[in-house]
Amino acid sequence: MTESTTHHGTGPDHGTGAVVVVAAALLDGGRLLAARRSAPADLAGRWELPGGKVEPGERPEDALVRELREELGVEAVPGERIPGEWPLKPGYVLRVWTARLRSGEPRPLEDHDELRWLARHELDTVDWLDQDRPAVAEAALRLPAA
Ligand code: C5P
C-alpha cells in the first residue's frame, strides 16, 4: 500500500490507484510451478505464475491463497514477497510472493490448460509472459542449482 508506480483505475490499492494482481512462485521439491494460460486469446499458450486480482478490502496474501484454491484446487501458504512490482495492462500491477503447498496436488481447474513443475535448469523451457519474467528470475534464486 506504499509504492507508487501507476495511476490508473480505482482498484483496492488506494495508495497507488492501481489494481494489484498477486501471483505465486509456488515452490515444492526444488521446483517451481508454471501454469499455461488458456484465455484470453492474446495470453493463451503463454506461461505464468498462477494468481489473480486482489478484491477490495482483501489482503494480498489472502488473495493469493484464494486464487490458488480456485485455480489449482490446493491449499497454499504464502512465504516472502519477491521484491518488485511489474506493470500489466494499464491500471494493473503484478506483485509476487513465494508460496508452499499445504495440501493438495495442483490441477488446472480455471484459467489454465497445463501445469508443469520446473527445476531451475528447466525454467527457460516454457514461454513465460513477459511481465512474469523478472519474478521468475528472482524465484529461480530460491531453487537448488543442481
Ligand atoms: O487471472 P486474472 O484474470 O484475475 O488476472 C488478472 C490479470 O493479470 C490478467 O490480465 C492476467 O493476464 C494478469 N496476470 C499476469 N501474470 C500473472 C497473473 C495474472 O500478467 N502471473
Side-chain angles (χ1 to χ4, degrees):
M1 301 283 269
T2 52
E3 298 97 323
S4 180
T5 55
T6 63
H7 306 276
H8 308 277
T10 53
D13 189 340
H14 298 292
T16 67
V19 174
V20 175
V21 173
V22 294
L26 191 59
L27 304 171
D28 193 57
R31 293 170 189 246
L32 169 72
L33 189 74
R36 190 172 68 185
R37 286 203 69 107
S38 52
D42 58 325
L43 301 180
R46 307 284 301 277
W47 294 75
E48 69 174 11
L49 302 172
K53 290 186 269 294
V54 178
E55 291 176 354
E58 189 178 36
R59 296 187 319 165
E61 288 93 337
D62 292 338
L64 191 75
V65 170
R66 175 181 53 73
E67 289 285 348
L68 297 180
R69 186 182 297 135
E70 292 172 0
E71 295 188 352
L72 306 175
V74 298
E75 294 302 317
V77 183
E80 54 169 325
R81 167 102 181 262
I82 290 183
E85 180 176 83
W86 300 280
L88 303 176
K89 55 198 171 188
Y92 289 76
V93 295
L94 176 67
R95 296 180 186 175
V96 177
W97 274 256
T98 65
R100 301 207 172 261
L101 283 176
R102 185 202 296 280
S103 64
E105 185 63 27
R107 291 165 291 146
L109 302 178
E110 210 178 86
D111 295 343
H112 305 111
D113 59 8
E114 191 178 341
L115 304 177
R116 271 187 215 167
W117 287 106
L118 300 175
R120 187 165 171 171
H121 71 277
E122 298 170 320
L123 290 175
D124 63 0
T125 63
V126 301
D127 185 18
W128 293 100
L129 288 174
D130 296 333
Q131 57 266 29
D132 284 43
R133 286 173 190 264
V136 170
E138 275 292 319
L141 304 175
R142 278 89 171 160
L143 292 173

